[in-house]
Amino acid sequence: MLRTLLLQLCGQVSGLEADLTRLKASYNHGIPPVPVLLEYLCQAVTRCRHVYILLDALDESPADSSRAEVLSVIKTIRQWQLPSLHLLVTSQDIPPDIRGHLQFPTLSQGVEHVALKNDGVQQDISRFVSFQVDHDPELQRWGDLRETIKSHLTRHAGGV
């Protein structure tokens, strides 16, 4: 994740590509440790007017040490409190480890939690599924089972 973010910033931050080339050489073309990558990312972000980072679907990362490492990196990035950094992290509200890592005891300035699972979202999902099932020529052959399909898909959508 950190390497990808740094590579995406290369075209935006003057001199970053040369810095990363030197970094790569200093680690014999291996992967630098996470704290080093974090330091380079922090330096790159401070050289920008605004940086927007979107980390989507954290719940889809493996629930082992790799998720814990990603959550630890996010916590570090949030602690920088850089005004130029805008971080958006999304996850289904299923794994408790994610919620625990992403919340502060009291919400800091500029930190928000937005729940997207509500009655309005559920109604939108239901309408979308109904329309798709009713108008898909391939599903017409399922006849009366279409209602069961609609009900099942809507019930198990999980807000997405």
Side-chain angles (χ1 to χ4, degrees):
M1 172 186 75
L2 291 172
R3 288 181 293 159
T4 299
L5 291 171
L6 284 165
L7 287 173
Q8 290 175 0
L9 286 171
C10 268
Q12 309 295 318
V13 178
S14 176
L16 182 58
E17 186 173 356
D19 292 345
L20 294 179
T21 300
R22 284 190 296 278
L23 176 65
K24 184 178 177 182
S26 70
Y27 281 90
N28 295 321
H29 300 284
I31 300 171
V34 169
V36 173
L37 293 172
L38 276 166
E39 181 59 33
Y40 274 74
L41 180 63
C42 183
Q43 290 174 14
V45 169
T46 58
R47 290 158 52 185
C48 295
R49 229 177 102 187
H50 290 285
V51 173
Y52 295 86
I53 297 176
L54 170 60
L55 302 174
D56 189 26
L58 253 52
D59 56 291
E60 294 179 11
S61 64
D64 59 9
S65 61
S66 56
R67 182 187 291 167
E69 189 170 21
V70 168
L71 291 169
S72 175
V73 164
I74 292 169
K75 182 178 180 182
T76 300
I77 291 171
R78 289 177 69 186
Q79 290 171 344
W80 295 341
Q81 296 185 354
L82 299 172
S84 62
L85 178 61
H86 309 278
L87 179 64
L88 175 63
V89 179
T90 69
S91 173
Q92 288 191 49
D93 195 19
I94 299 170
D97 60 327
I98 293 173
R99 178 178 284 280
H101 273 83
L102 295 181
Q103 285 188 336
F104 286 129
T106 57
L107 290 179
S108 312
Q109 174 91 17
V111 176
E112 294 183 44
H113 172 261
V114 178
L116 296 180
K117 189 174 182 180
N118 59 47
D119 291 338
V121 170
Q122 195 61 30
Q123 289 171 1
D124 287 346
I125 290 170
S126 179
R127 281 191 292 270
F128 176 79
V129 168
S130 290
F131 180 85
Q132 294 300 321
V133 170
D134 289 341
H135 293 88
D136 186 318
E138 293 293 319
L139 293 174
Q140 296 303 312
R141 63 187 172 117
W142 289 92
D144 293 340
L145 286 175
R146 288 183 316 183
E147 291 304 315
T148 304
I149 292 169
K150 287 191 272 188
S151 173
H152 183 80
L153 289 174
T154 301
R155 242 187 0 262
H156 296 286
V160 290

